[in-house]
Amino acid sequence: MTDKTYSVEEVRAGAPAEAPEKLIEWVTEKANLTKPDSIYWADGSEEEWTRLSDEMVEAGTFTRLNPEKRPNSFLARSLPSDVARVESRTFICSEKEEDAGPTNHWADPVEMKATLKGVFDGSMRGRTMYVVPFSMGPVGGPISQVGIELSDSAYVVLNMKIMTRMGKAALNEIANGAEWVPALHSVGYPLRDAEGNERPDVLWPCNDEKYITHFPETNEIFSYGSGYGGNALLGKKCFALRIASTMARRDGWMAEHMLILRLTDEKTGKQYHVTAAFPSACGKTNLAMLQPTIPGYKVSTVGDDIAWMRPGPDGRLYAINPEAGFFGVAPGTSYKTNPMAMETARANSIFTNVALTDDGDVWWEGIDDPMPDHLIDWHGNDFTPADAAEGKVAAHGNSRFTVPASQCPIICEDWEAPQGVPIDAILFGGRRATNVPLVAEQYEPAHGVFIGASVASEATSAATDVKAGALRHDPFAMLPFCGYNMADYWGHWLEMQDKLGDKFPKVYQVNWFRKDDDGHIIWPGFGDNSRVLDWIVRRTAGEVEATDGITGRYPKFEDFNLDGIDVDKATWDQLFEVDPDAWAAEMDDTEEYFSQFGDKLPAEVTAQLEKFRERIAAA
Ligand code: GTP
Ligand code: SPV
Ligand code: MN
């Protein structure tokens, strides 16, 4: 078979009637670049889900899970080289390098476009190009946005169906004139070369050469070579964070790597809304679905990964979850730690890189059931307790479930409210074995920005090219996701705080991961994190006092609800130990980190560093 040339007329003939001309032209242009054998317009229907997932099972990329245990659910195994985001191949292609900033990989937009033309040329030969219209946020909502992802991966289409409002309704928005973000994706594994020589498909097509590229000035996304997660589901990190953060700066709103939850005080009926930014694989999904271990509170989930926030008519900050599903970390998820996630994943779910049991269900390290005598691991190989004894894992550390948010038993009744929910408090956290106390409150708004800017966290498996375990700076949990200069982003936060004045939510620093001298995590975490939320809402309501310290304002032992857990005063002191010498060293390191931003570093942030040192000196 030879390459096909697509005419606008031909593409239009295969497109839904409502697809506007500009979209048809763009699809035609990209089809003539990538040279697929066919073009398919995804409508997001159940029939389409069934057909595509059947095809994936037939091809062997999907294993259908036992329908009695996990109806309408599938397992996929990726290549070992394609298991997570690749930060070293993620580029911000702003016209000026300084606009990408020192923490992003920058590439010249003209040069990158030329490179991309080269790699995308013929990259879909032998495949279908799927046209995937999607809405981030409730379709038509005032904070929502639409996009089109072109992809040669059915795995991507099916995941996008769960993670976004995908299909007809989103296309209608575009037909009605909504601006849309164009996103081109290819796994980079054509089934034919330019001469017509064919090669067989593989179970997980991808390419060793990867480009995850963003053009913030034109709102374009091009992703090549990976089929996994944040590299390939372009509505998520590429659009909803990197591109959206640049839009948000231009238009006076905020795009953040944050969960959103509602905490209801059952006695008074009063509702609080909290967002929290923790680096990848540091507890957002878990906090979003928290089951309080103290009486009197109910938590419901609005979102688990991304928040878009705008000032509302009353001058408060309102947040929506732009996503429609959860792409959650599997290992460590169990009925003990996160029962609501387990319930959400009971059906209609895609699991990637977890282990398969002999009875056709999923298994991973940390799930409730003990390891069975035999599993198929994420490589597709036999796995027995003897392998585990050698320190091997059956599920990859970044293995994930893709599940519809609507299936979450505690999904908030207002999770799709187009105008969002008003935010009362913002948390920043990370994995810190030392130094950072369980909770601390900001002294003033600029201190809140300083708390976000100085987040450092032990790296996880959520990116392939970051050494897990090593402490790295991850300001606002946005290091891999900020689409522009990180220091300008801090400036934008300061501006938003200024604009909203005392209506801007207070910032809290939290740390669930502090360890004792034996390396054990001290704080029970998970449902017991409700105790921290309890203190925070009582603080915002002005009901409890705090003790001023080096990193912020801490709870008083007697005010904090520790009923029913094994945390005595000595343990408490460990959780709140703030060593001036350790913090002096950390501030030296922070100052050095900040210095890379040069003139762009906001003066308020520098001033906060000085105040921090004054507090150390006074301690
Ligand atoms: P991304 O989806 O990568 O952005 O991750 P996330 O921030 O949503 O992290 P998630 O909630 O999936 O948690 C990641 C890992 O941390 C899982 O293995 C959890 O079991 C573990 N974890 C989450 N919360 C806690 C906690 O309070 N204490 C402890 N010890 N572990 C936790
Ligand atoms: C993260 O790494 O923060 C994730 C997973 O939520 S991914 O979609 O791959 O970015
Ligand atoms: Mn995330």
Side-chain angles (χ1 to χ4, degrees):
M1 201 167 160
T2 52
D3 295 342
K4 210 158 127 177
T5 306
Y6 290 90
S7 67
V8 168
E9 290 68 34
E10 187 184 354
V11 172
R12 190 189 297 115
E18 62 271 31
E21 199 58 23
K22 194 178 142 211
L23 173 57
I24 301 277
E25 282 167 13
W26 178 70
V27 172
T28 308
E29 181 197 316
K30 296 308 174 212
N32 284 325
L33 172 65
T34 58
K35 306 180 174 59
D37 282 2
S38 59
I39 300 174
Y40 173 81
W41 293 72
D43 61 16
S45 64
E46 292 311 309
E47 181 274 327
E48 177 180 272
W49 165 277
T50 304
R51 183 163 31 84
L52 291 181
S53 55
D54 283 351
E55 282 173 25
M56 297 276 280
V57 171
E58 181 81 5
T61 298
F62 268 1
T63 300
R64 185 184 301 281
L65 297 173
N66 183 340
E68 275 164 29
K69 296 186 171 277
R70 208 67 70 168
N72 192 28
S73 298
F74 306 91
L75 166 67
R77 295 185 197 102
S78 77
L79 274 199
S81 60
D82 197 24
V83 292
R85 289 179 292 99
V86 265
E87 298 186 1
S88 59
R89 304 302 299 164
T90 300
F91 298 93
I92 301 298
C93 308
S94 48
E95 280 160 26
K96 290 198 225 132
E97 182 167 1
E98 63 166 9
D99 288 335
T103 60
N104 279 311
H105 297 284
W106 175 80
D108 176 83
V110 175
E111 281 170 28
M112 182 54 88
K113 282 272 172 79
T115 304
L116 292 171
K117 249 203 163 104
V119 296
F120 275 102
D121 187 353
S123 73
M124 297 190 188
R125 282 195 182 100
R127 297 192 183 280
T128 298
M129 174 197 267
Y130 299 94
V131 184
V132 183
F134 62 93
S135 174
M136 299 312 290
V139 177
I143 310 181
S144 303
Q145 306 250 6
V146 285
I148 301 274
E149 177 163 352
L150 303 180
S151 175
D152 53 7
S153 161
Y155 171 87
V156 164
V157 180
L158 291 166
N159 276 274
M160 286 291 283
K161 153 95 173 144
I162 297 177
M163 293 305 296
T164 71
R165 282 90 174 170
M166 186 272 266
K168 263 194 160 8
L171 183 61
N172 273 333
E173 279 299 296
I174 292 172
N176 292 334
E179 287 280 331
W180 49 280
V181 167
L184 177 62
H185 169 253
S186 173
V187 294
Y189 196 97
L191 300 175
R192 201 171 59 239
D193 65 16
E195 282 73 48
N197 304 307
E198 310 218 348
R199 66 169 165 178
D201 206 352
V202 289
L203 293 182
W204 187 271
C206 62
N207 197 299
D208 286 344
E209 199 179 355
K210 294 179 178 31
Y211 291 94
I212 321 298
T213 69
H214 311 73
F215 296 76
E217 279 109 4
T218 49
N219 293 344
E220 292 168 286
I221 302 163
F222 293 82
S223 168
Y224 177 86
S226 169
Y228 198 70
N231 299 329
L233 312 176
L234 303 186
K236 195 172 176 57
K237 297 303 173 35
C238 297
F239 180 172
L241 287 179
R242 298 195 193 95
I243 292 293
S245 62
T246 64
M247 292 175 163
R249 182 190 181 206
R250 283 196 291 265
D251 300 337
W253 51 285
M254 311 171 87
E256 303 296 335
H257 190 201
M258 289 178 177
L259 70 95
I260 311 165
L261 67 81
R262 168 178 291 174
L263 184 70
T264 306
D265 180 333
E266 289 179 312
K267 276 200 289 298
T268 61
K270 192 164 165 30
Q271 295 175 343
Y272 302 88
H273 297 97
V274 174
T275 64
F278 310 151
S280 300
C282 290
K284 291 183 298 301
T285 301
N286 279 269
L287 189 67
M289 298 176 194
L290 164 123
Q291 294 290 284
T293 52
I294 51 174
Y297 287 109
K298 202 182 87 181
V299 165
S300 59
T301 310
V302 179
D304 84 325
D305 198 50
I306 300 176
W308 284 358
M309 305 195 284
R310 262 178 215 263
D314 58 359
R316 298 179 67 193
L317 198 57
Y318 283 75
I320 67 160
N321 168 16
E323 303 190 278
F326 308 131
F327 185 59
V329 176
T333 306
S334 69
Y335 275 96
K336 263 202 310 295
T337 58
N338 193 351
M340 293 303 118
M342 295 299 286
E343 284 295 313
T344 310
R346 282 181 64 152
N348 314 312
S349 301
I350 299 170
F351 298 85
T352 308
N353 289 340
V354 303
L356 179 68
T357 63
D358 288 349
D359 58 359
D361 203 0
V362 288
W363 191 90
W364 51 74
E365 280 70 22
I367 202 171
D368 304 87
D369 298 335
M371 178 180 295
D373 290 338
H374 179 257
L375 288 166
I376 302 294
D377 70 9
W378 71 276
H379 293 283
N381 298 328
D382 292 319
F383 191 97
T384 66
D387 294 296
E390 281 176 38
K392 294 184 191 154
V393 290
H396 186 271
N398 191 45
S399 56
R400 299 221 171 214
F401 48 80
T402 318
V403 297
S406 60
Q407 290 182 185
C408 179
I410 56 161
I411 196 73
C412 180
E413 57 187 350
D414 292 324
W415 83 283
E416 302 200 274
Q419 74 285 358
V421 295
I423 301 306
D424 297 283
I426 297 177
L427 278 50
F428 289 111
R431 281 177 193 268
R432 290 300 303 266
T434 61
N435 288 19
V436 180
L438 179 64
V439 57
E441 182 188 272
Q442 71 175 37
Y443 282 108
E444 54 189 329
H447 180 224
V449 169
F450 181 82
I451 288 173
S454 56
V455 168
S457 187
E458 291 137 26
T460 62
S461 323
T464 56
D465 45 2
V466 175
K467 194 174 161 283
L471 194 64
R472 74 161 179 173
H473 288 273
D474 190 347
F476 289 76
M478 283 287 275
L479 178 71
F481 308 120
C482 185
Y484 61 103
N485 190 301
M486 184 61 81
D488 287 338
Y489 164 81
W490 301 344
H492 180 56
W493 260 76
L494 290 161
E495 259 177 51
M496 293 298 293
Q497 285 180 324
D498 249 14
K499 203 154 95 186
L500 271 60
D502 60 9
K503 295 203 165 132
F504 196 93
K506 263 193 200 154
V507 164
Y508 294 82
Q509 182 177 37
V510 300
N511 178 23
W512 318 144
F513 298 94
R514 191 125 181 192
K515 290 183 178 165
D516 62 19
D517 295 339
D518 299 330
H520 299 120
I521 292 179
I522 305 169
W523 178 245
F526 302 105
D528 286 315
N529 295 332
S530 56
R531 298 164 192 275
V532 174
L533 294 180
D534 167 57
W535 182 74
I536 289 172
V537 302
R538 285 190 288 137
R539 270 301 285 171
T540 56
E543 288 170 21
V544 280
E545 300 284 296
T547 309
D548 291 0
I550 290 177
T551 69
R553 301 190 150 132
Y554 311 128
K556 293 185 188 296
F557 178 69
E558 59 275 17
D559 286 337
F560 199 91
N561 186 341
L562 294 168
D563 294 348
I565 48 169
D566 190 17
V567 175
D568 56 13
K569 182 69 169 67
T571 312
W572 173 270
D573 288 341
Q574 265 184 309
L575 284 166
F576 284 91
E577 191 193 333
V578 178
D579 172 19
D581 293 338
W583 274 102
E586 181 146 350
M587 281 307 111
D588 289 347
D589 172 70
T590 301
E591 182 175 28
E592 194 187 318
Y593 183 73
F594 286 173
S595 70
Q596 66 182 314
F597 300 103
D599 293 349
K600 287 207 179 257
L601 185 68
E604 292 90 331
V605 173
T606 314
Q608 286 298 322
L609 185 73
E610 283 319 306
K611 289 192 180 182
F612 201 107
R613 284 188 166 138
E614 284 162 21
R615 293 196 294 272
I616 294 175

